[in-house]
Amino acid sequence: MTELSKHYEPQNVEDKWYAHWEKAGYFHSEPDDRPSYSVVIPPPNVTGVLHMGHMLNNTIQDILVRRARQEGKNACWVPGTDHASIATEAKVVKWLRDEKALTKGEIGREKFMEYAYQWTDKYGGVILQQLKKLGASCDWDRTAFTLDEDRSAHVIQAFVDLYRKGKLYRDYRMVNWDPEARTVLSNEEVIYSEEASQLYHIRYQISGSSEHLTIATTRPETILADTGIAVHPEDERYAHLKGKRAIVPLVNREVPIIFDDYVDPEFGTGALKITPAHDSNDYALGKKYDLEVISMLDEQARVTEEAGLLVGQDRFEARKNIRELLEEAEALAKVEDYVNKVGRSERTQSVVEPRLSLQWYVDMQQLAAPALEAVMSDEVDFYPKSQKNLYRHWMENIKDWCISRQLWWGHRIPAYYYKEETFVAANAEEALALAREHFGDEQIDLEDLKQEEDVLDTWFSSWLWPISVFNGFEDKKELDYYYPTSALVTGWDIIFLWVARMVMAGYEWQGERPFDKVYFTGMVRDKQGRKMSKSLGNSPDALKMIDEYGADAVRFGMLSCSPAGGDLLFDMKLVEQGRNFCNKMWNALKLLQMWEATEEKPSDTQALAEQWMQHRLNALSDRLPGMMEQFRLSEAIMQLYNFIWNDFCSWYLEMIKPEEGHQISNQTYEATRRMYAQIMVLLHPFLPFVTEEIWSHLTEGKSDCTQQRLPEVGEIDSHLLEDMEQARLMVSKVREIRNDKGISGKEPLELLLHGESHRLWEGSFRALLMRMGGLGALGYADKRPDQSVSFVSGTDTFYVPIGEFLDIGAEVEKLKKDLDYAQGFLRSVEKKLSNERFVANAPEAVVEKERVKQRDGAERVQKIQAALDALQGGESK
RNA sequence: GGGAUAUUAGCUCAGUUGGUUUAGAGCACUAGCUCGACAAGCUAGGGGUCACUGGUUCGAGUCCAGUAUGUCCCACCA
């Protein structure tokens, strides 16, 4: 037998096993007659790298999938990546600029796409390799990409289908514009947060008067595009200005003063400037009062000719510069510090600019109805349930979805324009046919059609993911088998961006939910509760952590702090704990490997211990499914942890451990290896590598842990389990006395029961108690022996003679404390029982329980009192 | 402004339809241990008025109302 290393060394183990599993094809799934258990991965960005959030949700998915395999299901976990159009395009643009000194405009669409594919081939998909490091048991043969051929075809088909159903339209509206990526964003892609800024008070002269009116704004540069002033109709300060006009400073434009109750008279000066082109509320007001719309910012948010001033400057530069101009013109009343909400692009972080433009939208009203119903009725089951509220709120107030993006990296919208008409079809040829038919003109050519330049929002492909990864529109066989998927594991932060939309797509195209259950993980935060992010630098390097501690340790760390739905505070200590746990199991293995077996029969202690361990293990196997079912994964892993560390290692192994230099009974030896292997199977979904490694040593490489089915849950003898609890308690009590008095474990002690019989005093428990307590004798006594300490366990009094180690004063103190507690307890029970209404109203079983408590409590008090009397009486003689 | 959710040991959290001891776990802490698997360890120990106030009930950590504090979501306040 090979010598095992002092410590468990994951570095030597993990890659070996992953390669083995993959080579054996254990993670590949094909439809068959078993029930399926399918999971689709939330596709990470193709250019992403593994971070804490991925590790958490992929560990959870892996546990579910591995557990499903153990249950005999045909588990299929589909991996893949998302083309992440904005994020990736931004990276490619930067790369082209930095490395090749090229811009999008210079190279054009086709060339850009070539570079983008080049770039994603080179840097993309790294994250999938990193998932293997974590142990993710994905079916890699099924790896999908939202921009690959099959998925793209599906996206186009979905678009065409929606268009034909009349659920798509184009409209000219105020949108969220990202001036850095130069594209529109959906509402969900804008993140609002409070930021420090300034409130500028600007004086506008009233036309034909020397009077001034002061407005307050956070965006002074946009006054160049002002086309109105608004005040509240009942604001007395401004009542006299009805019908007057104001002059915009610097540009000297005369604009109307309007009266609308949209204005809050309490805020600022109670007067508001109106810039219809650059603010969505102002746009609405402008429409209402038919104001002119002057656009003064281009797609990069630079000031245009229309403004007449500061032309070419960036909006922030212009803001800085306009201050001086306003001061010179004596139009700046004051500037005060102010905190307001600023919306930023989720991907580029640049401040979102409201902008008017023509975009494609999905009409969400009809799509939302069945999707809302599905979640509210738990047909799609949310964990934790509280997320249902959030979902409902959003679905009931749903806005149409802006799906066009002014980007190139993505699915180009299959809309073709000819003259004033729009033709939507899967390809140009079909569009051409439609156009010819519409115009009744066979002379129209492909070249006459102009395809939409915009691509689709990334989420327009992601929402099809649970369908498209099973090639849902080609051949229904896969889809029929795997759909609906079993569980989705994701963060609650993308409940609108992704989860809700998948539910809608599921009902729209499959008429059925996309998944049975959704498990929302929390956000990974650092110990101070801050969200982990690159910019804060508080996110540990995931791969480095795996290298250093092992994937199992990291998985343990992630899991043991992850309440469902709640945020989790990540602490390296937990990863250390995971590493220590692996090491503990490794050392238990080493102990087993050291033993030599003989033909001898097991000792009484060994036989009893083995029986107890098996029942204890059965009880654990029995508890686990319920926890798994409810996604109580951290509870499950803690139960396994405690079971292995305490029950198996600290108690069981110590019970059966042969004396130094002795051999162990073959029967005990084999049973122990078998049970330890069973435990490895239970733990395997959580910590796949270390369990596989230990399994291979226990079974001498004859099979793989990852292929094992869950053991059948055997008989659970609760009397046996209770008796052992009693025995453990007594052993601990004896050890406590040793600790307390400084008596070595080698010094044999006597444990005497006050009375004549005790079920643990005879039979197999006798030997076990003596061995575990380091006892020289186990006997009976009818009174307190000289120089002994006593304790009451249950309703029995026990004595342990300790000779000169006895300290009467300390002993009296201790017993008095026990007595106090026992009396207090008894009083509380008696109080309850003396309450007539309790006895009359509570169920009989509850009352009976209280009576038993009272009897035991009284007996206990009496025994402790007797022990105390004996001690004081005995020594005073 | 509206809503959600949380508040239990020093820390992170369980506590499953109100009733087995006057609340559990892990970590941390304290004391003692080189005992042939493990100091990444062993043995034992201390530690909580369950945020606060009131209510419902025979009985409340658990249900209800309010208060405080935290977190998050939504909303057009320049």
Side-chain angles (χ1 to χ4, degrees):
Chain A
M1 200 162 287
T2 51
E3 190 73 17
L4 299 180
S5 59
K6 181 168 163 58
H7 288 157
Y8 173 63
E9 289 161 2
Q11 296 77 8
N12 301 336
V13 167
E14 297 185 345
D15 289 347
K16 172 187 78 179
W17 284 119
Y18 201 91
H20 173 76
W21 296 328
E22 212 181 348
K23 195 170 162 219
Y26 291 155
F27 306 150
H28 182 61
S29 165
E30 288 292 334
D32 59 24
D33 46 18
R34 289 174 294 166
S36 80
Y37 188 91
S38 53
V39 174
V40 293
I41 204 168
N45 289 0
V46 63
T47 59
V49 289
L50 195 67
H51 63 60
M52 304 299 285
H54 296 129
M55 294 216 289
L56 174 66
N57 82 63
N58 286 294
T59 296
I60 291 170
Q61 290 171 75
D62 194 41
I63 291 167
L64 300 179
V65 167
R66 286 178 185 269
R67 176 85 185 180
R69 286 196 196 99
Q70 293 184 327
E71 287 167 350
K73 292 178 184 150
N74 183 355
C76 180
W77 184 10
V78 185
T81 48
D82 190 306
H83 66 286
S85 78
I86 293 187
T88 307
E89 181 153 329
K91 281 182 189 170
V92 175
V93 166
K94 184 175 184 310
W95 173 68
L96 284 171
R97 191 182 61 214
D98 296 352
E99 303 289 320
K100 312 211 179 256
L102 292 170
T103 66
K104 272 172 79 178
E106 284 164 16
I107 56 179
R109 186 168 196 141
E110 264 178 49
K111 198 82 189 143
F112 178 84
M113 288 302 276
E114 269 176 42
Y115 278 122
Y117 273 112
Q118 237 180 62
W119 197 79
T120 45
D121 282 347
K122 190 166 170 193
Y123 300 102
V126 173
I127 193 162
L128 299 180
Q129 297 309 311
Q130 296 176 328
L131 284 174
K132 294 182 182 178
K133 282 265 174 199
L134 187 66
S137 60
C138 303
D139 183 352
W140 299 107
D141 296 342
R142 292 177 175 274
T143 305
F145 177 45
T146 50
L147 204 51
D148 65 21
E149 211 175 303
D150 289 344
R151 261 49 64 180
S152 296
H154 193 197
V155 166
I156 298 304
Q157 201 203 21
F159 185 93
V160 173
D161 184 57
L162 283 180
Y163 185 79
R164 293 199 178 140
K165 288 176 183 158
K167 292 178 180 173
L168 291 182
Y169 64 93
R170 255 180 130 196
D171 195 21
Y172 190 74
R173 300 186 177 170
M174 187 64 79
V175 298
N176 304 298
W177 185 264
D178 179 339
E180 194 178 320
R182 293 186 227 173
T183 179
V184 65
L185 300 172
S186 68
N187 296 334
E188 289 70 35
E189 290 167 295
V190 181
I191 309 297
Y192 291 91
S193 60
E194 297 206 325
E195 293 188 20
S197 69
Q198 272 99 36
L199 195 59
Y200 292 76
H201 293 246
I202 301 171
R203 289 148 42 94
Y204 285 53
Q205 196 186 342
I206 304 301
S207 185
S209 145
S210 60
E211 197 185 342
H212 284 80
L213 178 152
T214 305
I215 60 95
T217 181
T218 52
R219 301 204 57 188
E221 74 280 10
T222 62
I223 68 163
L224 303 176
D226 277 2
T227 56
I229 297 285
V231 295
H232 195 274
E234 274 141 47
D235 195 329
E236 288 170 9
R237 289 172 293 180
Y238 303 116
H240 65 288
L241 296 177
K242 218 154 256 181
K244 295 270 172 56
R245 296 173 73 84
I247 300 169
V248 181
L250 305 180
V251 290
N252 298 323
R253 182 187 306 120
E254 263 196 27
V255 299
I257 297 170
I258 61 167
F259 291 75
D260 193 282
D261 54 15
Y262 161 74
V263 181
D264 174 6
E266 303 293 315
F267 186 89
T269 62
L272 171 74
K273 75 189 202 60
I274 307 174
T275 321
H278 300 290
D279 182 281
S280 57
N281 297 313
D282 290 11
Y283 182 67
L285 279 176
K287 247 187 163 164
K288 190 168 170 187
Y289 295 96
D290 201 24
L291 300 179
E292 192 186 350
V293 178
I294 299 174
S295 175
M296 59 159 284
L297 293 171
D298 67 10
E299 57 174 29
Q300 293 182 65
R302 287 177 312 203
V303 179
T304 62
E305 295 288 342
E306 312 285 320
L309 278 175
L310 306 170
V311 175
Q313 296 189 6
D314 174 77
R315 57 189 160 157
F316 298 114
E317 198 184 344
R319 187 174 306 169
K320 218 161 54 195
N321 292 333
I322 204 164
R323 178 174 182 160
E324 230 171 277
L325 297 179
L326 287 168
E327 275 168 354
E328 279 168 21
E330 292 180 356
L332 192 61
K334 67 171 171 176
V335 178
E336 56 185 358
D337 285 337
Y338 180 68
V339 175
N340 70 335
K341 284 217 163 171
V342 177
R344 286 178 180 271
S345 163
E346 192 197 11
R347 292 301 174 193
T348 65
Q349 309 306 319
S350 76
V351 174
V352 165
E353 186 65 46
R355 187 163 202 261
L356 281 165
S357 67
L358 182 61
Q359 304 289 344
W360 282 91
Y361 292 87
V362 181
D363 176 356
M364 300 300 268
Q365 291 303 326
Q366 298 169 55
L367 287 167
L372 173 59
E373 168 61 20
V375 169
M376 294 330 285
S377 67
D378 293 330
E379 192 168 309
V380 173
D381 210 355
F382 276 15
Y383 289 80
K385 288 268 180 269
S386 57
Q387 297 294 341
K388 280 169 74 174
N389 288 322
L390 193 60
Y391 180 88
R392 182 177 61 198
H393 187 263
W394 190 73
M395 290 298 253
E396 284 175 349
N397 297 285
I398 197 159
K399 306 248 166 54
D400 285 352
W401 177 15
C402 176
I403 52 168
S404 45
R405 295 290 181 275
Q406 288 64 52
L407 299 167
W408 287 343
W409 179 245
H411 307 92
R412 189 165 173 181
I413 292 178
Y416 300 82
Y417 306 114
Y418 179 66
K419 295 193 174 160
E420 297 300 301
E421 293 298 320
T422 301
F423 302 97
V424 170
N427 54 54
E429 287 73 22
E430 286 178 33
L432 180 63
L434 290 175
R436 284 179 173 171
E437 195 191 330
H438 179 86
F439 288 99
D441 178 359
E442 291 299 315
Q443 300 309 307
I444 304 172
D445 257 343
L446 272 180
E447 288 82 68
D448 297 327
L449 295 182
K450 195 170 168 304
Q451 189 180 352
E452 170 65 62
E453 292 289 333
D454 293 354
V455 299
L456 288 161
D457 178 9
T458 298
W459 299 102
F460 193 88
S461 51
S462 317
W463 76 327
L464 306 172
W465 191 242
I467 305 170
S468 65
V469 295
F470 298 116
N471 293 329
F473 74 110
E474 275 286 317
D475 169 11
K476 292 275 181 198
K477 186 174 143 239
E478 293 247 310
L479 201 63
D480 285 345
Y481 184 71
Y482 292 115
Y483 190 96
T485 63
S486 309
L488 177 79
V489 179
T490 187
W492 52 257
D493 55 334
I494 52 176
I495 188 167
F496 308 139
L497 280 168
W498 196 43
V499 180
R501 288 173 181 163
M502 280 191 288
V503 179
M504 292 188 261
Y507 285 94
E508 180 68 17
W509 284 290
Q510 294 302 312
E512 207 179 352
R513 65 190 179 278
F515 21 70
D516 300 336
K517 294 177 177 185
V518 183
Y519 176 90
F520 290 102
T521 67
M523 299 291 108
V524 184
R525 293 173 190 279
D526 68 8
K527 269 189 91 173
Q528 289 141 52
R530 298 174 307 177
K531 201 164 166 177
M532 284 198 168
S533 74
K534 259 191 217 158
S535 51
L536 274 173
N538 59 350
S539 180
D541 182 333
L543 289 169
K544 218 172 115 195
M545 220 157 70
I546 291 178
D547 278 345
E548 202 172 332
Y549 291 90
D552 289 324
V554 174
R555 290 167 69 118
F556 181 95
M558 303 281 351
L559 274 175
S560 51
C561 63
S562 56
D567 286 351
L568 60 102
L569 305 184
F570 184 78
D571 186 349
M572 274 311 291
K573 277 256 158 66
L574 292 165
V575 175
E576 268 175 46
Q577 198 186 339
R579 178 201 57 184
N580 296 353
F581 181 38
C582 292
N583 195 48
K584 183 73 183 177
M585 292 190 283
W586 179 248
N587 277 292
L589 170 71
K590 270 169 69 181
L591 179 64
L592 298 194
Q593 301 295 68
M594 268 169 55
W595 289 342
E596 285 169 34
T598 74
E599 291 301 318
E600 276 173 49
K601 283 252 170 259
S603 69
D604 282 359
T605 301
Q606 288 173 331
L608 175 64
E610 181 197 319
Q611 203 190 354
W612 167 71
M613 186 77 266
Q614 185 64 58
H615 284 254
R616 195 79 178 142
L617 178 53
N618 292 345
L620 177 67
S621 308
D622 192 42
R623 283 199 303 277
L624 282 173
M627 291 183 241
M628 300 302 294
E629 187 63 26
Q630 292 176 65
F631 295 105
R632 306 175 75 126
L633 304 183
S634 37
E635 189 179 335
I637 199 171
M638 280 319 287
Q639 293 250 357
L640 284 157
Y641 175 90
N642 285 322
F643 178 82
I644 292 169
W645 203 300
N646 299 323
D647 292 316
F648 188 77
C649 293
S650 296
W651 287 94
Y652 175 69
L653 290 180
E654 293 302 327
M655 287 174 192
I656 62 160
K657 198 184 250 182
E659 299 292 321
E660 204 182 316
H662 285 66
Q663 295 174 312
I664 191 164
S665 149
N666 196 42
Q667 185 190 319
T668 307
Y669 182 67
E670 289 306 327
T672 303
R673 293 176 73 93
R674 181 179 49 74
M675 288 191 287
Y676 198 33
Q678 260 181 40
I679 296 167
M680 290 303 107
V681 173
L682 293 182
L683 186 61
H684 182 73
F686 301 87
L687 310 181
F689 294 110
V690 67
T691 49
E692 186 70 89
E693 177 68 14
I694 292 175
W695 172 276
S696 80
H697 284 97
L698 290 171
T699 61
E700 276 137 21
K702 289 191 192 95
S703 60
D704 291 322
C705 187
T706 201
Q707 286 296 93
Q708 301 307 306
R709 295 284 293 270
L710 288 174
E712 294 281 319
V713 177
E715 173 203 1
I716 300 162
D717 178 348
S718 55
H719 291 292
L720 172 63
L721 296 180
E722 274 165 34
D723 281 354
M724 189 60 87
E725 277 318 294
Q726 266 310 121
R728 276 165 66 160
L729 223 63
M730 274 185 254
V731 169
S732 290
K733 212 72 195 167
V734 172
R735 287 172 178 168
E736 185 186 341
I737 292 166
R738 286 185 191 279
N739 260 318
D740 210 31
K741 307 295 173 194
I743 303 169
S744 153
K746 287 172 184 154
E747 189 86 18
L749 290 175
E750 271 181 90
L751 178 60
L752 304 170
L753 167 73
H754 185 101
E756 287 175 350
S757 75
H758 193 287
R759 65 185 187 288
L760 301 185
W761 250 230
E762 310 300 336
S764 9
F765 270 102
R766 180 180 182 83
L768 186 139
L769 279 170
M770 289 184 65
R771 180 194 163 96
M772 296 304 284
L775 302 173
L778 196 61
Y780 298 99
D782 52 9
K783 65 178 179 57
R784 191 183 75 88
D786 287 342
Q787 296 184 305
S788 63
V789 293
S790 60
F791 62 90
V792 178
S793 174
T795 55
D796 292 311
T797 307
F798 300 88
Y799 302 111
V800 178
I802 55 170
E804 76 273 19
F805 290 104
L806 182 67
D807 174 345
I808 304 259
E811 221 43 46
V812 168
E813 278 311 302
K814 196 164 198 173
L815 283 171
K816 276 184 174 164
K817 229 174 116 185
D818 285 354
L819 187 62
D820 261 2
Y821 182 89
Q823 284 172 333
F825 171 66
L826 182 59
R827 267 197 303 276
S828 81
V829 177
E830 279 172 342
K831 192 176 149 205
K832 220 179 215 181
L833 281 168
S834 65
N835 182 341
E836 280 168 33
R837 292 199 291 176
F838 169 70
V839 181
N841 293 320
E844 188 49 40
V846 173
V847 177
E848 186 48 37
K849 255 179 214 164
E850 290 301 315
R851 293 221 168 90
V852 171
K853 271 157 74 173
Q854 184 190 29
R855 268 198 300 280
D856 289 356
E859 195 172 346
R860 227 176 119 71
V861 166
Q862 182 253 316
K863 291 270 168 71
I864 297 171
Q865 186 65 58
L868 194 56
D869 290 346
L871 190 63
Q872 286 171 326
E875 293 307 318
S876 61
K877 270 176 204 164

